[in-house]
Amino acid sequence: MKRGIACLVLLACLLLTTGCWNRAELNDLRITVAGGIDRVGDKWEISYQTIIPSSMASGTGGSAGMGSQPAIYVFSMVSDTIFGARMKSNLEASRKLYVAHAKVIVVGREAAERGLGELVDLFLRNSESRESVELLITDGTAKDLLKKMVPPEKLPGASYSDIMGKESKFISIFPKKTIFDLAFSLHSDAKSIGIPVATFVGEDTEENKAKLHSLDVLKDTSPPLSLRLTRLGVFSGDRLAGYLSGRESMGLSWLTDQVKGTELSFPCPQAKNKHNSIIITSSKTKLRPVHTGTHYTMLVSVKLNGNLMESTCNKDLSKPEIIREMERSIEAEVRDQMFTGWDAVRQMGVDVTGYADIIHRSFPKEWRKMQTTWPEQFKRMDIQVQVKATIRRPGLIQKTIQQMK
């Protein structure tokens, strides 16, 4: 009898807990694919690039056909806080803003210079936002960038993420960074991070800028302006401190073991006006700090492997000594890139290399004494570089086309 009553009570409890008590219908949501952060005076201007479901479902978005419409809609709100601006979206939006699917947060230059601490606080405090969202800096305003189409993609926000992902995998000049990476850097000893900068390059006229705001740009076989990663924004704490060029940023990638794959052009041995091209398939950077006199020196050891993709040298690649000459040219090029990047960050005085954390782990007692003066210590720091390059595959042919004639 008691067992029967217990079963009935359990069954009643199961009936009460069925269903979705906090469900949200898709028709009631405005899905965000990218967000933008700007500063307007002392207030935050938050922009959202949202998906138009009807355009995506019908396939009209991104086409230039009759009755076509963009697949996105961008709107902005201003408030004292970032979350306050998000909540104000309910004043004009017929659907609830849903930010969990946002892939990228674009940060305007003024907002980056004034600090992103509040942005990190929002993402780590709010369960709806995801700290895996990628960060992108722009020279102008984030709102303006979000409004522009990026042919041939329907969703510009998704293309931002795809561009950074492909760049990190195949080029490694501007490795992508997330909200989590920014938060981690703020709690590190170095307190610095590098974030890619996106710029529209091409024929920079008012007419061409306006064209990117509509589907008219998709009628051209080649858009007048295209989005490109051009520089690396260096942050000291949560504020933008300066920029690194492409070559300087590439050197930084070697110095911090962030090279997943890249193309490297290097001169032919004994023929500086001719060049070869190699694709780096694997690389590993090892770091070891040593205390030398009144400052520290970082011993940097790089090992890389690659495949020769193009050669203009009139050399017989079947000879091991010729391959070794090429490997030495590759090593010299990588060393030059590393010292170029190192000179830039040391002159800037911002430890975007993260070497402070390595020294702290290696010399914990010494670190307690110098952590308050680390920026000065960093400027006096030196590096010693050792590079070992190996060409795994010289290609299917052993001679150049000129030799075959």
Side-chain angles (χ1 to χ4, degrees):
M1 183 66 178
K2 292 182 179 180
R3 180 176 295 180
I5 295 175
C7 291
L8 290 174
V9 172
L10 180 61
L11 181 61
C13 292
L14 291 175
L15 291 174
L16 291 174
T17 57
T18 57
C20 299
W21 61 274
N22 65 340
R23 72 184 187 276
E25 298 293 342
L26 187 60
N27 292 336
D28 298 331
L29 299 178
R30 174 173 282 187
I31 299 175
T32 302
V33 67
I37 307 291
D38 290 304
R39 291 290 282 188
V40 179
D42 292 331
K43 296 183 180 294
W44 292 97
E45 183 176 28
I46 313 303
S47 305
Y48 296 99
Q49 188 183 101
T50 59
I51 298 174
I52 301 176
S54 59
S55 177
M56 296 294 295
S58 63
T60 57
S63 75
M66 184 175 181
S68 63
Q69 63 175 334
I72 60 163
Y73 174 76
V74 179
F75 68 99
S76 304
M77 286 291 176
V78 177
S79 183
D80 294 326
T81 64
I82 299 175
F83 187 74
R86 179 194 296 185
M87 294 305 294
K88 282 187 177 181
S89 66
N90 294 300
L91 296 175
E92 71 171 60
S94 59
R95 303 182 182 189
K96 179 185 176 182
L97 196 65
Y98 186 69
V99 298
H101 284 320
K103 292 187 174 183
V104 177
I105 295 294
V106 181
V107 182
R109 180 169 183 170
E110 186 176 350
E113 291 175 345
R114 298 183 62 173
L116 301 179
E118 293 181 45
L119 176 66
V120 175
D121 183 272
L122 172 67
F123 270 80
L124 297 185
R125 195 178 299 276
N126 190 345
S127 60
E128 184 178 348
S129 303
R130 298 182 181 181
E131 63 274 9
S132 59
V133 174
E134 297 163 12
L135 286 167
L136 187 65
I137 309 299
T138 181
D139 288 328
T141 63
K143 177 175 68 174
D144 184 58
L145 188 142
L146 292 178
K147 289 180 178 180
K148 290 183 170 65
M149 300 296 293
V150 182
E153 305 298 334
K154 292 182 179 181
L155 302 177
S159 69
Y160 308 155
S161 177
D162 293 339
I163 290 172
M164 289 190 289
K166 296 294 189 299
E167 196 283 336
S168 295
K169 183 177 181 181
F170 298 114
I171 304 296
S172 301
I173 300 176
F174 309 110
K176 64 180 181 181
K177 294 295 187 295
T178 64
I179 291 287
F180 176 82
D181 295 326
L182 176 59
F184 186 82
S185 71
L186 293 176
H187 290 83
S188 67
D189 294 310
K191 291 181 172 55
S192 180
I193 193 173
I195 299 176
V197 178
T199 307
F200 278 92
V201 297
E203 301 176 17
D204 191 10
T205 64
E206 293 300 323
E207 181 182 357
N208 289 339
K209 289 179 181 178
K211 200 172 185 180
L212 288 177
H213 287 259
S214 70
L215 290 179
D216 291 340
V217 69
L218 300 179
K219 298 177 182 179
D220 296 336
T221 56
S222 179
L225 292 169
S226 58
L227 187 72
R228 184 181 300 173
L229 302 181
T230 56
R231 295 184 291 173
L232 188 74
V234 176
F235 281 72
S236 179
D238 68 333
R239 299 192 176 199
L240 181 64
Y243 299 95
L244 296 180
S245 67
R247 187 173 182 82
E248 293 167 346
S249 184
M250 187 70 236
L252 178 64
S253 295
W254 289 114
L255 289 168
T256 53
D257 195 27
Q258 296 188 81
V259 177
K260 296 180 180 178
T262 189
E263 182 276 337
L264 189 68
S265 298
F266 61 96
C268 296
Q270 303 174 352
K272 302 302 181 182
N273 59 332
K274 295 183 178 181
H275 288 77
N276 305 295
S277 181
I278 185 175
I279 183 169
I280 306 301
T281 55
S282 64
S283 71
K284 181 63 179 178
T285 302
K286 293 184 178 181
L287 304 169
R288 184 169 67 89
V290 294
H291 197 185
T292 55
T294 59
H295 64 280
Y296 287 86
T297 299
M298 186 66 70
L299 305 181
V300 185
S301 176
V302 177
K303 290 186 178 181
L304 60 94
N305 301 314
N307 300 331
L308 190 64
M309 304 302 294
E310 182 179 352
S311 177
T312 59
C313 302
N314 294 322
K315 300 288 185 178
D316 187 354
L317 300 183
S318 63
K319 297 180 179 180
E321 60 270 19
I322 301 300
I323 294 296
R324 184 58 197 140
E325 286 182 4
M326 287 187 170
E327 291 172 343
R328 283 195 290 266
S329 296
I330 295 170
E331 294 165 358
E333 175 63 20
V334 172
R335 278 194 298 268
D336 185 70
Q337 290 181 358
M338 293 170 72
F339 279 108
T340 299
W342 174 251
D343 291 340
V345 298
R346 189 170 61 171
Q347 184 177 0
M348 193 180 298
V350 180
D351 184 14
V352 70
T353 58
Y355 286 175
D357 300 83
I358 300 175
I359 291 178
H360 186 181
R361 291 193 298 268
S362 302
F363 306 99
K365 292 182 180 180
E366 291 83 350
W367 176 256
R368 297 190 190 100
K369 300 176 183 178
M370 67 175 180
Q371 58 180 331
T372 57
T373 61
W374 174 243
E376 291 77 17
Q377 294 279 352
F378 180 71
K379 289 183 179 181
R380 295 200 301 268
M381 191 175 180
D382 292 324
I383 61 171
Q384 291 183 10
V385 175
Q386 182 179 5
V387 181
K388 174 61 177 176
T390 303
I391 298 178
R392 294 295 184 187
R393 297 179 180 177
L396 297 178
I397 58 176
Q398 301 298 320
K399 297 181 180 180
T400 62
I401 297 299
Q402 289 80 2
Q403 290 177 307
M404 294 180 182
K405 290 181 179 179

